[in-house]
Amino acid sequence: MDLEAERGGGTAVAGKLRVFLGAAPGVGKTYAMLREGRRLRTEGLDVVVGLVETYGRHGTENQLRDLPVLPRQPVSYRGVELTELDVDALLARRPALALVDELAHTNVPGGRNEKRWQDVRELLDAGIDVATTLNIQHLESLNDVVEQITGVAQRETIPDDVVRAADRIELVDLSPQALRTRMAQGEIYAPDRIDVALDHYFRAGNLGALRELALLWLADRVEEELADYRARHGIRAPWETKERIMVALNGAPQGEHLIRRGARTAARVHGDLLGVHVRLDDGTVEREPPGLAPQRELLRELRGTYVEVSGSDVARALVDFARTESATQLLLGPTSRSRLRELVSGSVINRVIRLAGPIDVRVLPPPEPGLLTVPPAPRRRRPALVPVRRRRLAWLLGPAGAIALVWALSPLRDSLGLPGVLLCLLLVVAGTARLGGLLPAAGSTAAGALAADYFFTTPWHSLTVEQGADVAALLVFLAVAGVISHLIDGLTRRSQQADRARAEAAVLTRLAGETVESGARVSSDLVAELRQVFGLDAAAVLVRTGALWQPAASAGAEVPLLPDEASFSVGLGDEAVLVLRGTPLTEEDTRLLGPYVTQLKLARERERLVAQASAAEVLAHADALHTALLEAVGEDLRTPLAAVRREAERMPDPDGRRIGAEVERMERLIANLLDLSRLRAGVMPVVLRPTAVAEVVRVAAEGLTGVRIELESELPRVLADPGLLERAFADLLALGAAGAGPVVVDAGQVAGRVDVRVTVHGGEAVGREETGPAVVRGFVEAMNGELAVEEAPGGGTAYVISLVRAGA
């Protein structure tokens, strides 16, 4: 189709498309489009409504009142009369601006075009500007995401490129709550559809997700337009419209430190995080560094983006990518290249700084070292411990170097002589001893002596020695070389012992410092630290639960699940044991392990106390609620009880007296319950002093009938609070007096205690001790006593109060 059309006697270019984008139906897209059309019409622009769906919404219909509306084109489909946009009429009318609703609409089959956006494209090609509406769920790229959010599949979709090509996109935004309010008020759907819509598609979570989706899509389009603008105008310098933190990754251990620093910086400035790895395209197959995979995973967890680029120059590739992505900061780690390699091939960091231009380049120092593994202690009466790599290198260079040195000095045989070459060989032996230890030095000594014999003694080039002076020189060389090697080995041992001592001191200082600062450590932290300090494969604290061992704290792989599976174990008390797996511990290691064992015991004790304190806090809270409830109930009951008492006084005897007695009993029960709650809360003091039981019982029995007191006059005093003891006996005697049988009070001495028995004869015997009066039990236990409930001989119930004898 021709993109140009004659208009008003001139040549017109393609029209401009303006899209009113919404996150969901009902946000006001059509309303905003019509309002903008009315505004432009008042300014003299020829505006025509090509097609608008009002759905009976009064606000939208009101916006149509001043706008000319083009009649729709009738379309017959399967015997049904439908209407669609009349493209031919619009092309003939040729307005300056056509308002066409629902860009993603699918036309009736058999019409001019399959989709309405194709109709709009014809209008644009004819030079007619078009304003249209669209919901975010109709975009092809977001269709599946919207279905996951809402559970509703959208059948009508539109290619993203059609919308992205629009000259102007305006987001018609409305908060989820405001949209739900409009829905509830009947401004969007008919009343019979409101409840279903609010419970399904128009849930607040769905609307919030759709709104965020629309904002993100629009932000991406703005970013694309900005990138196109910069490309068209040749702008290479980054525009700091949004912070983008770029981290250079090469798989080195400090990469995780760089990623975390970059993530924190990006979070502070609300920017993006990019991780970039450069692969060299020099034709060789480069294996991925082993540390790159975990760094990629960490970047994903911190919501960053990982990218790989190729280039022959690492610095150039990093800077070019940073400019392409408009990165504002580039984070680099310390170089891992040797000085020699930097001299040969140059420094990547220096080249990045020179090429970066306006991009901020930050070279971060390596992270502070955490806990270091304590080096192994030198073994007694054995050569000093030397790393395997150094020992192998010493075996390779030492003997070969000695032989090469003697061969190189052989032309100077006449002037240098055997003593001179042996003196030179001592330097080789000393260097070998310093590099690889005692055994490689011995090998260098032997190789040097044989080479000196071969090249510097007569007969030449043989291993025989004719002159005694040469034999003596060789023997002296062997002795001096042995002494030098032994001294250097001793110095190495002393250095290793000093390193070990410094490491132990650092570990103990840190352990003690953290303990003083924060108290007992957590078991899991201690176990992890212990494993790292001693370089173990695994460490754990096992706790016995019945016949099984359960790990309470662990660190490492293949943690021992039984003490027998561990290479070392030590008891922590209280059915707990520390188990270790890895290199066997030496005597020095076990000495350093002692403080960790002590800390683990303290940590377990602290955890136990914390658990007890937590349980006690829960009980205290429950007691406080219990006390508050009792006090509230007591206050609420006093008023009706007083009213009942007044009514009972007006009633004739014996009903009045009986009701009054029950009221007094109820008031006494309420008072006892309140006092018991105060006792448990520690508010009511308990004063224990020597008390005569007989006197207390007689006072408690005053006014009660059917009570027989059989207490001996020589009964010893008990340690009790007289007031509480009297109330306890009063409750028990009142309980017994209310029954049908007599009540007998007697006492006896049992092993430093006095047992006072209140026997209620008659009635059903109590068979369980737990059914004793709770209030009496609380009073007795507050005085360090005990209450037992037993079956009385001959029937009935016996309440036994056992108290500590005074002076016992």
Side-chain angles (χ1 to χ4, degrees), residues 219-396:
D220 288 342
R221 182 181 182 274
V222 172
E223 187 171 346
E224 290 176 0
E225 291 181 351
L226 181 61
D228 292 341
Y229 177 85
R230 293 178 59 198
R232 288 195 305 269
H233 292 78
I235 300 173
R236 296 180 58 84
W239 283 359
E240 298 186 8
T241 54
K242 184 178 183 180
E243 290 285 345
R244 287 181 175 84
I245 314 301
M246 179 173 148
V247 179
L249 302 175
N250 60 359
Q254 62 266 23
E256 294 186 1
H257 175 62
L258 291 177
I259 293 173
R260 290 190 171 91
R261 284 288 298 273
R264 290 195 296 269
T265 303
R268 283 195 297 268
V269 298
H270 303 286
D272 297 332
L273 176 64
L274 300 172
V276 181
H277 173 66
V278 178
R279 287 186 178 273
L280 296 177
D281 56 359
D282 53 2
T284 61
V285 179
E286 180 185 0
R287 295 181 59 185
E288 180 176 286
L292 200 58
Q295 291 172 11
R296 194 163 49 229
E297 180 66 20
L298 176 62
L299 196 65
R300 185 188 64 81
E301 293 176 359
L302 297 176
R303 299 183 178 180
T305 303
Y306 175 80
V307 180
E308 285 190 2
V309 296
S310 299
S312 57
D313 185 349
V314 175
R316 174 70 66 180
L318 287 174
V319 173
D320 288 346
F321 183 80
R323 286 174 177 162
T324 302
E325 295 296 322
S326 297
T328 55
Q329 295 185 37
L330 176 56
L331 273 57
L332 303 174
T335 181
S336 57
R337 292 186 173 185
S338 63
R339 296 290 180 86
L340 180 60
R341 187 177 178 186
E342 285 192 354
L343 291 174
V344 174
S345 57
S347 170
V348 174
I349 294 176
N350 292 337
R351 281 185 49 78
V352 168
I353 294 174
R354 285 195 299 269
L355 297 172
I359 302 175
D360 294 341
V361 179
R362 297 171 58 191
V363 181
L364 301 182
E368 294 184 1
L371 289 173
L372 299 178
T373 302
V374 175
R379 297 166 294 183
R380 297 179 181 178
R381 300 185 180 88
R382 292 188 180 182
L385 294 173
V386 179
V388 176
R389 184 178 178 183
R390 284 177 51 187
R391 190 164 59 248
R392 291 175 179 173
L393 186 62
W395 274 111
L396 177 64

Side-chain angles (χ1 to χ4, degrees), residues 657-694:
R657 287 198 304 272
R658 182 174 56 81
I659 294 175
E662 292 297 330
V663 169
E664 290 180 0
R665 180 171 174 271
M666 181 64 71
E667 290 177 340
R668 186 169 63 250
L669 176 61
I670 292 174
N672 288 339
L673 287 174
L674 291 175
D675 288 342
L676 179 60
S677 65
R678 295 188 184 103
L679 279 173
R680 290 179 175 176
V683 178
M684 183 176 177
V686 178
V687 181
L688 302 180
R689 61 174 182 264
T691 304
V693 176

Side-chain angles (χ1 to χ4, degrees), residues 153-234:
Q154 299 294 331
R155 293 188 299 272
E156 295 181 332
T157 60
I158 182 173
D160 288 43
D161 293 342
V162 175
V163 185
R164 291 185 184 276
D167 299 275
R168 184 172 178 181
I169 300 178
E170 297 183 20
L171 180 65
V172 183
D173 191 24
L174 195 65
S175 68
Q177 188 56 46
L179 184 56
R180 284 173 58 84
T181 301
R182 289 193 63 196
M183 174 67 73
Q185 293 173 352
E187 298 180 8
I188 302 177
Y189 288 166
D192 58 341
R193 298 176 57 191
I194 292 176
D195 292 338
V196 176
L198 289 175
D199 292 339
H200 293 83
Y201 193 93
F202 283 80
R203 290 199 299 265
N206 290 356
L207 296 178
L210 292 174
R211 186 188 189 195
E212 183 177 1
L213 204 60
L215 291 170
L216 290 175
W217 188 88
L218 195 60
D220 288 342
R221 182 181 182 274
V222 172
E223 187 171 346
E224 290 176 0
E225 291 181 351
L226 181 61
D228 292 341
Y229 177 85
R230 293 178 59 198
R232 288 195 305 269
H233 292 78

Side-chain angles (χ1 to χ4, degrees), residues 103-107 113-120 155-158:
L103 184 62
H105 172 74
T106 301
N107 293 328
N113 293 304
E114 181 184 357
K115 297 287 187 177
R116 183 166 293 169
W117 64 265
Q118 295 171 332
D119 296 339
V120 169
R155 293 188 299 272
E156 295 181 332
T157 60
I158 182 173

Side-chain angles (χ1 to χ4, degrees), residues 378-701:
R379 297 166 294 183
R380 297 179 181 178
R381 300 185 180 88
R382 292 188 180 182
L385 294 173
V386 179
V388 176
R389 184 178 178 183
R390 284 177 51 187
R391 190 164 59 248
R392 291 175 179 173
L393 186 62
W395 274 111
L396 177 64
L397 298 180
I403 295 173
L405 178 63
V406 174
W407 174 81
L409 295 176
S410 60
L412 305 177
R413 181 167 45 202
D414 295 335
S415 59
L416 187 63
L418 180 62
V421 75
L422 294 178
L423 189 61
C424 295
L425 283 174
L426 288 177
L427 295 175
V428 177
V429 172
T432 305
R434 182 67 184 88
L435 176 64
L438 193 59
L439 295 179
S444 299
T445 301
L450 293 175
D453 180 17
Y454 187 83
F455 287 103
F456 280 84
T457 63
T458 56
W460 313 118
H461 304 122
S462 69
L463 297 180
T464 59
V465 183
E466 291 182 344
Q467 300 181 12
D470 292 342
V471 174
L474 290 173
L475 293 177
V476 170
F477 165 73
L478 292 175
V480 173
V483 171
I484 290 176
S485 300
H486 182 72
L487 291 175
I488 293 177
D489 182 74
L491 291 175
T492 304
R493 288 172 54 84
R494 297 293 184 274
S495 176
Q496 292 175 350
Q497 290 173 350
D499 292 342
R500 166 84 182 196
R502 281 193 296 269
E504 289 183 0
V507 169
L508 294 175
T509 301
R510 181 177 181 275
L511 190 63
E514 291 188 356
T515 303
V516 171
E517 180 180 354
S518 58
R521 305 274 300 283
V522 181
S523 297
S524 57
D525 294 343
L526 282 169
V527 170
E529 181 177 320
L530 185 148
R531 170 182 171 269
Q532 184 173 354
V533 166
F534 290 97
L536 300 170
D537 297 333
V541 173
L542 302 181
V543 179
R544 183 191 291 274
T545 305
L548 300 177
W549 289 93
Q550 299 292 336
S554 61
E558 299 182 1
V559 175
L561 299 180
L562 293 174
D564 296 339
E565 297 177 358
S567 56
F568 186 86
S569 62
V570 57
L572 300 176
D574 193 21
E575 297 293 329
V577 61
L578 171 66
V579 293
L580 309 175
R581 170 178 286 171
T583 306
L585 300 183
T586 63
E587 181 180 350
E588 291 79 5
D589 292 335
T590 56
R591 185 173 61 249
L592 181 59
L593 183 65
Y596 279 98
V597 173
T598 303
Q599 287 296 316
L600 282 170
K601 291 180 179 178
L602 291 175
R604 287 187 51 77
E605 180 66 18
R606 181 175 181 270
E607 292 167 0
R608 185 183 65 82
L609 293 176
V610 167
Q612 291 181 353
S614 178
E617 184 177 356
V618 173
L619 290 176
H621 183 64
D623 286 340
L625 290 177
H626 179 256
T627 301
L629 178 62
L630 286 177
E631 290 180 350
V633 171
E635 293 294 332
D636 292 341
L637 288 178
R638 284 193 177 95
T639 300
L641 286 177
V644 173
R645 180 189 292 277
R646 287 194 298 271
E647 293 297 327
E649 291 175 353
R650 298 191 184 102
M651 295 177 65
D653 295 336
D655 293 337
R657 287 198 304 272
R658 182 174 56 81
I659 294 175
E662 292 297 330
V663 169
E664 290 180 0
R665 180 171 174 271
M666 181 64 71
E667 290 177 340
R668 186 169 63 250
L669 176 61
I670 292 174
N672 288 339
L673 287 174
L674 291 175
D675 288 342
L676 179 60
S677 65
R678 295 188 184 103
L679 279 173
R680 290 179 175 176
V683 178
M684 183 176 177
V686 178
V687 181
L688 302 180
R689 61 174 182 264
T691 304
V693 176
E695 295 178 1
V696 174
V697 172
R698 290 190 182 93
V699 173

